[in-house]
Amino acid sequence: MITVCLTGVVVFMAGSLTAHRHPRDTGLCNDPPIDELKRKLASNLDLNPSFYQHPQLQINVLTLDKFEATHGDMVNISINPMEANSASCSALLAVPGGLLDPCPMTYVINYDANRVPRTLMEANCTCSECQGLTPTPTQGTRPTPSILGCEPINFYTKVLRKQGCNNHVAVYVEVWEPVTVGCACRKPRPVNGTQSDSLHSSQH
C-alpha cells in the first residue's frame, strides 16, 4: 500500500550567474550569457518531462547519479531549511494534534553553484517512520510509529550542470536531477536483517 501524504511543487528560483573559480579551472571561468543558458535548458525536449519519470526512459538520458559517477567534484549540493522554526519529528510527536500527516514534510532549499538553476525548492520528509497508523493501547493522543517507512517521492527535472571549463568559458551539459516533491508510506525494503530492524536503525 502506498499512501501519498502531501505533494509539493518544484520551484525554480533565479540566481545570479557570476564567475567563480573551480579546482579544474586554470583561470577565471565565466558562465555563458544567461539567454544562451536559458535556451539550452528549454531545448531538446522531445517528450514532456513527465515521460522521464519512467525508469526505462531514464536509461537514455544523463541522470544525476551517472553525472556524479564521472564528475563528482562538480556536484556540491547544500540543503538548507526554508523555515527557521521547522519542527523535528520528535517535536511534532510531543505536541497533541501537531502531527496531521502520516509522513509530514517541510520545504528546503537545494543549492548548487555549479547548476542552472542554482536554487531549487524541494520537500524533506520529517519522519523516517509513518506515524499515527497504529493506535496506542490507551488510545492516547500521541501517534504510534508503524512498520511503514516514510520515503521521498522524486520528480526528475532537467537542469544544466557545469562539466568543466573551455577557454575560460564554463561548459554545461543537460542532466535530469531528482527533486523530492512529497513523501509516501511504504513497506521498507530489507537490506541487512529484518525489515523492522533496518527501519528502526534509521529512526530519528
Side-chain angles (χ1 to χ4, degrees), residues 3 13 26 28-29 32 35 42 49 51 55 64 70 82 88 95 104 124 143 154 160 164 167 177 179 183 196 201:
T3 304
M13 304 175 68
T26 56
L28 189 65
C29 190
D35 289 341
F51 281 84
L64 181 61
T70 56
M82 209 177 153
S88 64
V95 179
N124 178 64
N154 292 328
L160 300 179
N167 293 325
E177 188 159 328
V179 177
C183 302
S196 179
S201 65

Side-chain angles (χ1 to χ4, degrees), residues 18-65:
T18 55
H20 60 282
R21 292 178 180 270
H22 189 274
R24 283 191 175 186
D25 302 336
T26 56
L28 189 65
C29 190
N30 298 298
D31 279 313
I34 182 62
D35 289 341
E36 180 181 327
L37 291 171
K38 286 181 178 179
R39 285 194 299 270
K40 186 177 179 67
L41 187 61
S43 65
N44 299 328
L45 278 180
D46 297 329
L47 296 172
N48 183 276
S50 60
F51 281 84
Y52 293 98
Q53 312 314 308
H54 197 290
Q56 289 300 316
L57 291 178
Q58 291 176 12
I59 295 176
N60 300 320
V61 296
L62 182 60
T63 54
L64 181 61
D65 56 343

Side-chain angles (χ1 to χ4, degrees), residues 141-157:
T141 57
R142 174 172 173 156
T144 299
S146 70
I147 62 170
L148 300 177
C150 292
E151 293 187 5
I153 302 171
N154 292 328
F155 183 90
Y156 280 79
T157 185

Side-chain angles (χ1 to χ4, degrees), residues 93-106:
L93 291 173
V95 179
L99 197 59
L100 301 179
D101 296 302
C103 284
M105 68 183 195
T106 57

